[in-house]
Amino acid sequence: MEEHERPLTGGKFAFVTLLNISITVVEIIGGLLAGSLALITDAIHNFGDSLSIVLSYSAQRIGQRDQDERATFGYHRVEILTAFVNSLVLILISIVLVWEGIQRLLHQQAINGSVMFWTALVSFCFNMGSAVLMHADSRGSLNIKATYLHLLADALASIAVIIGSLMVMAFHIYWIDAALTIAVSLYIIYETVGVVKQTSKILLQNAPLLDYDAIIEAMTQVPGVVDVHHLHAWMEDEKDIIFSAHVNITPDAIEDIEWITAQETQLLQQRFNICHVTVQIEIKRGLNSARFAKHEML
């Protein structure tokens, strides 16, 4: 199995989930003791991460199921849907945190910088460990990537809280806690919007970025082919492209229909990295085109 197709293992899933639940408990206690909004909001993020990891792992297991009569293309889009939902939830939480940060700026409170520092340090170590474990799996899956971004964002947030706690202890700058909450939340929104855009395009079956002029030119170079029309392409998931087209051939190429179909399919798969190809052959008779055969290859 190639690296980008490597699934998240059950042991790694359980360990990362346990780490994030532990972070949530530690930060809630530390945030309440220190009076730190940044710690409490990060605890909420980590709780969301735990839920996100559970959903990601479950979606990945479902996505590995073979296609059947109820899902002829398989269940890969479960992962895309999960990544989309996870990212939207993270953005909504971040918006709420921005609002809470603004409220805290307007009504500042004293903060225990020492408790804030040690809690953030523990959180950073746990978050960074989880992010490192998820990094390799995030390269080939938008679903796992969404979860990985959750973890990485929390690790970066912990660094910011550590710096903020040092400023609180040294200079008693209490507003830094709220400012960090706003800054980190805005950063998370910025990083997550890209995942939302990509997953929404796939769910809406938007056309992938292909050179369609080059495809038509290449397909018409096959002997016996007159022209190509009615091209359609969409993404099954972040890796697999589905493509269909009508191919007009000359009447004297009727006997070569199977060979032409095989050549077009091989061309599209190898040169343009298209996974699923459907080619409908039509015979060109003067100005009229009549459908002759249809060949589908998975």
Side-chain angles (χ1 to χ4, degrees):
M1 182 175 293
E2 297 179 5
E3 181 180 5
H4 69 276
E5 296 177 342
R6 181 173 54 195
L8 182 65
T9 62
K12 186 184 294 186
F13 152 76
F15 185 67
V16 172
T17 303
L18 180 61
L19 279 178
N20 277 270
I21 292 176
S22 301
I23 296 170
T24 301
V25 174
V26 169
E27 287 194 321
I28 287 177
I29 295 174
L32 292 174
L33 291 176
S36 171
L37 177 63
L39 284 177
I40 294 175
T41 54
D42 199 37
I44 295 173
H45 275 157
N46 277 290
F47 178 76
D49 290 343
S50 301
L51 179 60
S52 174
I53 295 168
V54 172
L55 290 175
S56 296
Y57 181 73
S58 301
Q60 186 182 75
R61 294 297 298 269
I62 294 173
Q64 292 171 7
R65 293 179 183 177
D66 295 330
Q67 63 189 63
D68 53 34
E69 66 277 3
R70 298 177 62 184
T72 57
F73 281 105
Y75 294 86
H76 304 294
R77 286 203 172 186
V78 173
E79 293 191 61
I80 302 300
L81 180 60
T82 301
F84 177 75
V85 173
N86 283 347
S87 299
L88 278 184
V89 170
L90 185 57
I91 289 175
L92 290 175
I93 291 175
S94 297
I95 292 174
V96 172
L97 295 178
V98 169
W99 173 256
E100 292 297 328
I102 293 173
Q103 297 303 308
R104 179 62 68 91
L105 280 176
L106 297 176
H107 306 89
Q108 297 182 32
Q109 300 178 12
I111 299 171
N112 188 320
S114 179
V115 174
M116 183 180 176
F117 171 79
W118 289 109
T119 304
L121 184 62
V122 172
S123 175
F124 169 74
C125 293
F126 282 21
N127 274 315
M128 203 63 201
S130 298
V132 170
L133 287 173
M134 297 288 288
H135 176 68
D137 300 278
S138 70
R139 296 174 181 174
S141 170
L142 283 173
N143 175 40
I144 302 300
K145 182 179 180 180
T147 303
Y148 168 73
L149 287 175
H150 279 254
L151 298 171
L152 184 60
D154 278 337
L156 295 175
S158 296
I159 294 177
V161 175
I162 289 173
I163 296 174
S165 66
L166 294 174
M167 296 182 67
V168 169
M169 288 189 291
F171 306 108
H172 303 289
I173 305 176
Y174 298 128
W175 58 262
I176 193 67
D177 180 72
L180 287 172
T181 299
I182 296 172
V184 171
S185 297
L186 291 175
Y187 173 76
I188 293 171
I189 292 173
Y190 172 78
E191 287 294 318
T192 310
V193 164
V195 177
V196 173
K197 287 182 178 180
Q198 192 171 0
T199 52
S200 61
K201 287 180 180 179
I202 294 174
L203 293 173
L204 292 172
Q205 295 188 334
N206 285 7
L209 296 177
L210 295 172
D211 189 340
Y212 295 98
D213 291 334
I215 289 176
I216 293 175
E217 182 179 357
M219 292 181 71
T220 53
Q221 295 302 312
V222 174
V225 174
V226 178
D227 60 57
V228 178
H229 57 281
H230 289 172
L231 276 70
H232 297 282
W234 63 97
M235 300 290 293
E236 180 185 0
D237 53 32
E238 69 265 33
K239 299 182 293 293
D240 298 330
I241 299 174
I242 302 174
F243 180 91
S244 67
H246 291 203
V247 176
N248 279 38
I249 64 173
T250 58
D252 57 358
I254 292 179
E255 295 182 356
D256 298 323
I257 285 179
E258 291 186 5
W259 179 85
I260 292 173
T261 302
Q263 290 298 307
E264 298 286 27
T265 300
Q266 183 179 19
L267 170 71
L268 292 167
Q269 290 176 339
Q270 295 183 356
R271 185 181 300 183
F272 298 98
N273 297 318
I274 294 173
C275 174
H276 182 106
V277 177
T278 299
V279 176
Q280 179 169 302
I281 302 295
E282 299 174 343
I283 303 173
K284 188 75 171 181
R285 293 189 176 95
L287 298 177
N288 298 318
S289 297
R291 186 173 68 177
F292 184 85
K294 181 179 181 181
H295 177 79
E296 183 173 346
M297 179 174 294
L298 295 176

